[in-house]
Amino acid sequence: HGIPDLRPLEDGDLVNVDVTLYLDGFHADTARSWICGEGDETGHRLVKATREALAAAIASCASEKPLKCIGEAVAEVAEREHFGIVKTLVGHGIGEFFHGVPQIFHCRNSDNRKMQLGTTFTIEPVLTEGSAEWITWEDGWTVATADGGRAAQ
């Protein structure tokens, strides 16, 4: 997640494209990862599991359900596939404030607030093949896993 540097992409790298939209006073964004070249089995599993986790999280949404069901849906997929979940990068509300409320946790949590009809938010799970801890690069925007392992969103 971040700003590309000058390193050429290599076979097996994962590229995350995060697109932001500002229209009629409202902010929204979305992200998706792709594998460069042919990739390897673990990279393909990671991207597939992340997409599956997103689909499961979306399917768990319904009016009056607790927000924590989103994190539970993501965690079930990640745990089954033995991938980590970045807990501190969260989904967020879509509205007049960028990255506004509500925060959407993609891991098991205790957020019992109920989803409300008409509330819009992003679901953006980040799964990792290694450490789920992350660091921010000197540019102040780019983040990477602390151990240099791949992540998909």
Side-chain angles (χ1 to χ4, degrees):
H1 183 277
I3 302 166
D5 58 16
L6 297 176
R7 186 180 71 80
L9 295 174
E10 298 177 8
D11 184 61
D13 283 348
L14 300 188
V15 175
N16 179 39
V17 177
D18 194 332
V19 178
T20 300
L21 172 71
Y22 181 73
L23 180 66
D24 298 330
F26 289 86
H27 297 267
D29 72 332
T30 187
R32 189 155 183 177
S33 295
W34 285 272
I35 299 172
C36 290
E38 295 297 316
D40 61 7
E41 180 182 345
T42 303
H44 283 280
R45 280 187 45 247
L46 178 58
V47 170
K48 181 179 177 188
T50 303
R51 291 180 183 166
E52 182 183 345
L54 173 61
I58 292 169
S60 76
C61 293
S63 183
E64 299 303 315
K65 286 186 74 176
L67 286 169
K68 70 181 181 182
C69 73
I70 295 168
E72 291 168 357
V74 171
E76 285 180 18
V77 174
E79 291 165 2
R80 183 191 74 220
E81 297 297 326
H82 306 287
F83 291 124
I85 304 169
V86 176
K87 296 178 174 138
T88 52
L89 296 177
V90 297
H92 50 82
I94 296 173
E96 295 176 335
F97 300 99
F98 192 47
H99 293 158
V101 296
Q103 286 190 330
I104 306 300
F105 297 96
H106 304 113
C107 57
R108 296 190 191 280
N109 64 82
S110 59
D111 191 346
N112 284 313
R113 292 176 296 162
K114 304 290 186 209
M115 292 181 223
Q116 300 296 313
L117 189 63
T119 301
T120 55
F121 51 82
T122 67
I123 301 173
E124 304 179 74
V126 180
L127 302 189
T128 64
E129 68 179 342
S131 173
E133 300 301 316
W134 55 277
I135 58 170
T136 303
W137 288 8
E138 289 183 15
D139 63 21
W141 183 252
T142 303
V143 297
T145 57
D147 65 359
R150 294 177 295 183
Q153 185 174 25

